[in-house]
Amino acid sequence: MLSYVLKRLGSSALVLLASTLLVFILVINSGDPLQELRESNAENVEFLIQQRIEYMNLDEPWYTRYWMWLSGVLGCFGGACDFGTNISGQDVGALTQQAAGSSLRLVFLATILAIILGVLTGIVSAIRQYSTFDYVVSFIVFLFFSLPVFWAAVLAKDWMGIRFNNWMADPGVSWSTTVTLAVIGAVAIPAIIGGTVRRRLITAAMTFAFVMIALPYLDWLNFARYPQLGPAAIAVIGALFALGFTALLAGLKNRRVLYSALTVVALGIVAYYATFWLLIDPPGGWLTIAGLFILALALAVLVARLIGGYAKNLATTVSLLTAAVVSGLVLLDHFIRAWPGFLTLKPRPIATIGSVSPNFTGDFWETSLDQLTQLILPTTILMLVSVATYTRYMRASVLDSISQDYIRTARAKGVNERTVIFKHSFRNSMIPVTTMVAFDFAALLGGAIIIEAVFGWRGLGNMFITGLQASDPAPVMAYLLVAGTAAVVFNLIADLLYAVLDPRIRV
C-alpha cells in the first residue's frame, strides 16, 4: 500500500510539474503586462514601469522566471513558501491563503451536500424504477444538468436573495400560498413514499391537513423572525431519526439496535443541558465544537458496543448516524437562538455580493450566521449542478448491481430487500460515484470561477481571472497549484476507497 501511494504521488508530482511549466509559458505569452503603463501619461511612468519589471522579474528570460517561481514553491517543504508577487507587488502567498479559504469552503460544502442528496435520490429512483417519482426525478435532474451556471446564479440572486430579503422585512404567508404549498406537498409526498392507491390518498390527505395547520400556526408565532427549537423538539426529531435509521438499516424488530439509537438520543438531551453555557460563547470557537462532536460520536460507539450485543456492528452504524443528527440539531438550536440578534445587525440576511459582510460585528454565533448566509446562494447553485450527475450515476449503478447474480442469490436465500439494497448492492454501487467525486471536485473549482464572478467573491476564481487578464503568471500559477493538488489528492483518495468499498480490489 505504501509503495503504491508513493508511486502515485511521484507520478502526480511529474504531471503537476509539466502542467505548471506549460501554463507558465502560455500566460507570459498571452499579453504584455506593461501595456497599460506604456499608454499612460503619468509623470512617473518610467518609475512605475521599472517597479513592475522588478515585481515580475521581466528582465529575466522565461526559464529563469519559471525556476525562480518553482524554487519558491519547493521551499514549502522547508517551511519557507514563496509564491512570488503579483503585478501590484502584493505577496501572492498571502492572497492565495485568503482566497483558497473562501473557494475551498464553498466547494467542499457543495460537494458534501451534493453527494448526500444525489446518492439518496439515486438509490430511491433506482428502487422505484419507471415510477412517477423516477420520471419526475429524471426530469428535474436533466433540468439541473443543463442549466447554465451563470443564468441560474442570476435567478438565485433575484428569487432566493433579493425577494427573500424583501419578504423578511415583513414575513407572512397568505392563504393562497398556504393552499398552493399544501397541494404541492399532497402530490409530492405520496409520489415519493409510494404504495397502494389507498395509502397514497391517506398520505396526501394527512400532508394537506398538516401544511394547512402548520403554516398558519408558524406565521402566528412569527417563526421567520423568532424561530424556536428547544430540547423537546430535539428529542422528538432525534427519536424519529433513530426509528428511521433503525427501520432502514436493521428493521424495527431488532430491539438492540433501536435501544442503542434511542439511548444516544437521551444522552444527546443530557449533553444539550451540560454544554449549553459552554456553547453560548465557545472558548475555542469551531475547534471546541468539533471536539464535542467527536466526543459525541465516541459515546455513540460506546453505547452501541454495550447495548448492541450480537448486532453491535449495525448498532454502531445506526448510533453514529443518530448522534450526528442530534449533534446537528443541538448546533441548529444555538443558531436559531442567535437569529433574532443577527437580524438586528443585518436586516437583509441573504447576501448577494461578497463572501463576508464588511464591518460586521457580532458574537460567535452571529458571525457564523453571517458566513453561512454568504454561502447559501453560491453553494446551492454548485450543489444543483453536481447533484444531477451523482443522481444519474447512482441510479444507473444500483440498477446494474441489482441485476447481478449475487443479488439474485441473496434474494433467493430469503434476505429482505432492505439488506439486499443497503448491504449487498450499496457498496458496489458507490464505486463509480467515488470516481465521479474525484473528478467533480476539480470541475467544481473550475465552475466556482463563474460563481465567484457573479456573486462577487474574492476567491481563487477571482484571483485566476485577474492574473490572466493582466498576463500575470504568479496568481494563475497559484490557482493551478491549489486546483491541481486538490485533484491529485481526491483521485488518490478515490483509488484507496475502492479497496474499502470492494474487498476484492487490491492496489
Side-chain angles (χ1 to χ4, degrees):
M1 177 68 75
L2 180 61
S3 62
Y4 171 78
V5 172
L6 293 176
K7 287 179 182 178
R8 281 295 305 271
L9 291 176
S11 61
S12 300
L14 292 176
V15 171
L16 278 175
L17 180 65
S19 60
T20 55
L21 177 60
L22 177 61
V23 171
F24 187 88
I25 295 173
L26 292 174
V27 173
I28 63 175
N29 288 284
S30 63
D32 183 7
L34 300 176
Q35 182 66 36
E36 62 170 298
L37 293 180
R38 291 195 176 101
E39 298 173 353
S40 174
N41 295 322
E43 295 181 358
N44 62 338
V45 65
E46 293 298 329
F47 170 76
L48 295 176
I49 290 176
Q50 187 60 36
Q51 187 183 54
R52 185 167 295 183
I53 290 174
E54 293 177 2
Y55 285 154
M56 302 180 65
N57 300 309
L58 296 177
D59 54 345
E60 300 287 347
W62 70 268
Y63 48 85
T64 304
R65 294 173 62 191
Y66 176 75
W67 175 250
M68 293 170 67
W69 174 83
L70 184 62
S71 300
V73 171
L74 293 177
C76 294
F77 294 102
C81 287
D82 183 11
F83 284 77
T85 56
N86 66 2
I87 198 169
S88 302
Q90 295 173 299
D91 181 22
V92 174
L95 294 176
T96 303
Q97 185 176 3
Q98 181 180 1
S102 298
S103 295
L104 293 179
R105 181 179 62 193
L106 170 64
V107 173
F108 269 118
L109 184 58
T111 302
I112 292 172
L113 292 176
I115 292 171
I116 295 172
L117 186 58
V119 167
L120 292 177
T121 307
I123 292 174
V124 177
S125 185
I127 297 172
R128 306 276 301 281
Q129 186 184 17
Y130 303 134
S131 65
T132 304
F133 175 80
D134 186 30
Y135 287 127
V136 171
V137 167
S138 298
F139 171 77
I140 295 175
V141 160
F142 282 117
L143 179 64
F144 288 160
F145 190 78
S146 60
L147 277 179
V149 174
F150 64 90
W151 180 71
V154 172
L155 288 181
K157 287 178 69 172
D158 183 23
W159 288 91
M160 297 175 60
I162 298 172
R163 300 195 184 203
F164 178 80
N165 287 334
N166 293 338
W167 179 78
M168 278 300 300
D170 185 19
V173 182
S174 64
W175 280 106
S176 60
T177 303
T178 302
V179 172
T180 302
L181 293 176
V183 171
I184 293 174
V187 173
I189 301 299
I192 295 173
I193 296 176
T196 62
V197 175
R198 182 173 178 272
R199 179 180 176 181
R200 293 191 182 199
L201 289 175
I202 294 174
T203 304
M206 292 177 63
T207 303
F208 184 85
F210 175 78
V211 174
M212 291 297 296
I213 295 172
L215 281 183
Y217 178 68
L218 293 176
D219 193 20
W220 177 73
L221 290 176
N222 198 9
F223 191 82
R225 297 190 67 89
Y226 301 97
Q228 304 170 25
L229 190 60
I234 293 174
V236 172
I237 297 173
L240 290 175
F241 270 97
L243 290 169
F245 289 140
T246 304
L248 188 64
L249 299 176
L252 292 177
K253 293 182 179 179
N254 196 327
R255 298 299 183 185
R256 289 186 175 272
V257 175
L258 179 60
Y259 293 156
S260 299
L262 292 177
T263 303
V264 168
V265 175
L267 290 176
I269 301 303
V270 174
Y272 172 84
Y273 287 104
T275 62
F276 185 83
W277 296 108
L278 175 65
L279 291 179
I280 286 180
D281 187 15
W286 285 105
L287 288 177
T288 301
I289 294 174
L292 292 173
F293 179 70
I294 294 172
L295 179 60
L297 296 182
L299 287 174
V301 173
L302 179 62
V303 168
R305 293 295 172 180
L306 292 175
I307 300 178
Y310 66 91
K312 59 184 179 181
N313 291 332
L314 268 177
T316 300
T317 302
V318 173
S319 297
L320 284 172
L321 291 173
T322 305
V325 170
V326 174
S327 299
L329 290 172
V330 172
L331 193 64
L332 178 62
D333 180 77
H334 284 276
F335 276 121
I336 284 176
R337 290 177 181 275
W339 181 253
F342 172 69
L343 287 180
T344 60
L345 296 173
K346 191 177 178 183
R348 299 180 66 82
I350 305 300
T352 56
I353 296 294
S355 57
V356 292
S357 296
N359 303 320
F360 184 87
T361 55
D363 61 18
F364 171 79
W365 294 105
E366 290 166 349
T367 304
S368 298
L369 275 172
D370 176 60
Q371 295 172 351
L372 288 175
T373 53
Q374 300 281 357
L375 280 169
I376 288 176
L377 296 183
T379 299
T380 301
I381 300 302
L382 284 179
M383 181 194 70
L384 291 181
V385 175
S386 294
V387 81
T389 303
Y390 295 146
T391 299
R392 295 307 297 175
Y393 268 86
M394 193 65 194
R395 178 184 182 275
S397 187
V398 170
L399 289 175
D400 179 66
S401 67
I402 61 178
S403 63
Q404 300 297 319
D405 290 339
Y406 68 92
I407 296 294
R408 285 195 289 267
T409 302
R411 286 171 172 163
K413 289 181 177 180
V415 178
N416 62 64
E417 192 66 15
R418 179 187 59 254
T419 304
V420 168
I421 296 297
F422 288 99
K423 186 174 182 179
H424 296 288
S425 173
F426 177 73
R427 291 178 64 175
N428 285 333
S429 301
M430 280 298 295
I431 293 177
V433 178
T434 302
T435 305
M436 286 304 304
V437 171
F439 286 105
D440 193 58
F441 186 83
L444 279 180
L445 276 175
I449 295 176
I450 302 174
I451 293 295
E452 289 176 10
V454 174
F455 290 102
W457 276 50
R458 300 187 65 84
L460 289 172
N462 176 267
M463 190 174 70
F464 174 80
I465 293 296
T466 303
L468 203 59
Q469 290 173 341
S471 301
D472 185 5
V476 178
M477 301 299 289
Y479 170 84
L480 175 66
L481 204 60
V482 174
T485 303
V488 165
V489 170
F490 270 77
N491 275 280
L492 178 60
I493 292 174
D495 287 344
L496 298 178
L497 283 176
Y498 293 155
V500 176
L501 294 170
D502 189 347
R504 296 172 297 176
I505 299 175
R506 290 292 180 266
V507 296

